[in-house]
Amino acid sequence: RDVIRPTFFLLGATLAMLVSGTACSATPSGNAGADSSVQQAVSQDPAAANPATGQKAPCGWEKHATYQHVIWIWMENRSYRQILGSHGGASHLAAFAKACGTATNYDAVSHPSLPNYIAATSGSTHGISSDCDTSSCPVHGNSLFGQLSAAASPGWAAYAENMAHPCDQGSYGRYAARHNPAVYYPALRASCLTHDLAMGGTNGRFAKHLAAGHLPGFTFIVPNLCDDGHDCATATADSWLGYWLSRITTSPLYRGGTSAVVVTWDENDNSATSNQVATVVIAPTVA
């Protein structure tokens, strides 16, 4: 079988089209799941258009588009079965998966977390086999971030929940640097300090940039250790995902027809021999 290893291949191809323009068919407390607006936002079925607002369903309404924005969201430690299986616990994401596209034959690269994040953003694990910190295993190689820093456009940004300082290499509270791969590339440091920022909550930096349409070509989202499912229940992570996916897909930036969203898990929880994980692609051109 042909397993895409890593997701870098998929995103790299998308970014290649994005760069070339080729047509293709500030409160860091951060648990959006606790906000009452979350429940309202995720109660709608994204598989169907909303007749009250006339909004389009999130996928399948554009036959052709030129992607100008790719948003990549990473979650933690669940198998495909636990998320999108017949008894999966992620009902909000499952609705988006039903309406959009799901990779049913995608395996994570490795265990534990960090090798997956590095492989997905650079094309290689660079020999990393642990969750080592940035001082122990800096990555001296090219990356998606570096390629986009060198380009005049479209640029990149990362938004990390509960991160206290830009491009923070330390881990504390619910912020884990090992889930924020941009901080591992020393050559990227100057750009990282400018573009790797605290996400904030429902009215934070990312929310404001999204609403204003000020996202760059590539946006990497780093949920905190609860909202990504690492330390909290699948339902909590799914509620967080449902809220933000609803906000993204109803934003003017997405409704312009030129944005794509990829949601993936870094690895399973070691409960199965296979390291198959859920990956959902949401874009107007996805049938």
Side-chain angles (χ1 to χ4, degrees), residues 87-123:
H87 299 288
S91 59
H92 299 312
L93 182 65
F96 280 95
K98 178 182 177 182
C100 303
T102 306
T104 58
N105 195 26
Y106 173 67
D107 288 356
V109 175
S110 182
H111 292 293
S113 293
L114 182 61
N116 294 286
Y117 285 85
I118 297 303
T121 54
S122 73

Side-chain angles (χ1 to χ4, degrees), residues 114 117-118 121-122 134 138-139 141 143-146 149 156-160 163 166-169 175-193 195-197 218 220 222:
L114 182 61
Y117 285 85
I118 297 303
T121 54
S122 73
T134 57
V139 180
S143 67
L144 287 173
F145 308 111
S149 294
W156 71 276
Y159 296 89
M163 184 173 68
C167 195
D168 205 332
Q169 297 178 334
Y175 168 68
R178 66 185 182 275
H179 299 165
N180 186 8
V183 306
Y184 278 82
Y185 300 98
L188 193 68
R189 186 63 178 170
S191 178
C192 184
L193 287 168
H195 298 290
D196 191 275
L197 306 170
F218 175 43
F220 194 97
V222 185

Side-chain angles (χ1 to χ4, degrees), residues 58-59 93 96-97 100-101 245 249 254 259-263 280-284 286:
C59 297
L93 182 65
F96 280 95
C100 303
L245 289 177
T249 57
Y254 184 89
S259 298
V261 186
V262 181
V263 181
V280 176
V281 182
I282 303 166
V286 175

